[in-house]
Amino acid sequence: IIGVDAKLVNNLTAKLEVRNNRTMTLSFTNNEISETGGFEYVIGSGYVFENFKVKINTASGGKTYDNDLTIRLDFSVRDNQTVRRNIVEDITRKISGNKMYSLKSYADYMLNERFTIRVFLDYNMNKPLTNGYTTSSLSGGFNLRFSLI
């Protein structure tokens, strides 16, 4: 719905977002309307280290890079739910839903115009609203991006 992403004078970055989605389905077989929707709130911050020096050693020697290092941390809360409405009997039931918490962090470093390295760590936790168990996942790794343009 709305989002603000700002880079401040002191190299700090700030992010604030509100997202919304809604899907409705009409079934003529059992005269029901299924409505799935959710809201997500995202808050984040980061920092840009200018002229960050990285030395990479290889078999033929080493090379020092002097570029910007961007660090980012985002926290989000999402509330999803599915409601089924019977048109004939005028009955509304919440059949599923969950609350999702997410923490995403990454660091980007551009080696040159073509190569960018990203190190990331993501944590997700789902809490069901109706039935089930709380689940969580943790993933991390690195990306090496090559750009042709």
Side-chain angles (χ1 to χ4, degrees):
I1 296 176
I2 191 168
V4 176
D5 201 356
K7 183 175 181 183
L8 306 175
V9 177
N10 56 1
N11 290 337
L12 283 174
T13 58
K15 178 181 183 178
L16 188 63
E17 273 186 72
V18 177
R19 300 176 187 160
N20 180 15
N21 68 329
R22 182 177 174 192
T23 305
M24 296 182 77
T25 307
L26 175 63
S27 172
F28 292 111
T29 311
N30 51 5
N31 297 324
E32 287 184 340
I33 297 175
S34 293
E35 179 181 348
T36 303
F39 274 95
E40 183 174 13
Y41 305 98
V42 180
I43 186 167
S45 65
Y47 190 76
V48 177
F49 294 95
E50 293 180 345
N51 302 322
F52 190 81
K53 294 184 182 192
V54 172
K55 184 174 182 180
I56 297 178
N57 293 324
T58 60
S60 62
K63 184 166 182 177
T64 302
Y65 297 95
D66 188 13
N67 291 317
D68 293 348
L69 173 68
T70 304
I71 295 176
R72 186 85 185 200
L73 179 69
D74 291 339
F75 175 73
S76 68
V77 176
R78 182 168 182 80
D79 190 12
N80 291 328
Q81 65 179 351
T82 301
V83 176
R84 187 167 289 159
R85 295 172 170 54
N86 191 307
I87 300 169
V88 176
E89 298 171 3
D90 197 23
I91 297 173
T92 301
R93 293 181 309 243
K94 186 186 292 188
I95 59 170
S96 69
N98 63 348
K99 189 166 271 231
M100 298 175 8
Y101 300 96
S102 175
L103 186 65
K104 297 178 185 254
S105 62
Y106 68 86
D108 273 344
Y109 189 76
M110 183 180 286
L111 293 174
N112 56 30
E113 302 85 32
R114 302 252 186 246
F115 287 103
T116 303
I117 296 175
R118 174 178 277 194
V119 178
F120 65 93
L121 184 66
D122 296 340
Y123 176 73
N124 295 310
M125 182 173 63
N126 293 322
K127 287 187 171 184
L129 298 177
T130 54
N131 57 4
Y133 299 103
T134 301
T135 60
S136 63
S137 66
L138 180 67
S139 63
F142 71 95
N143 293 335
L144 180 60
R145 185 177 309 145
F146 175 70
S147 178
L148 295 174
I149 298 176

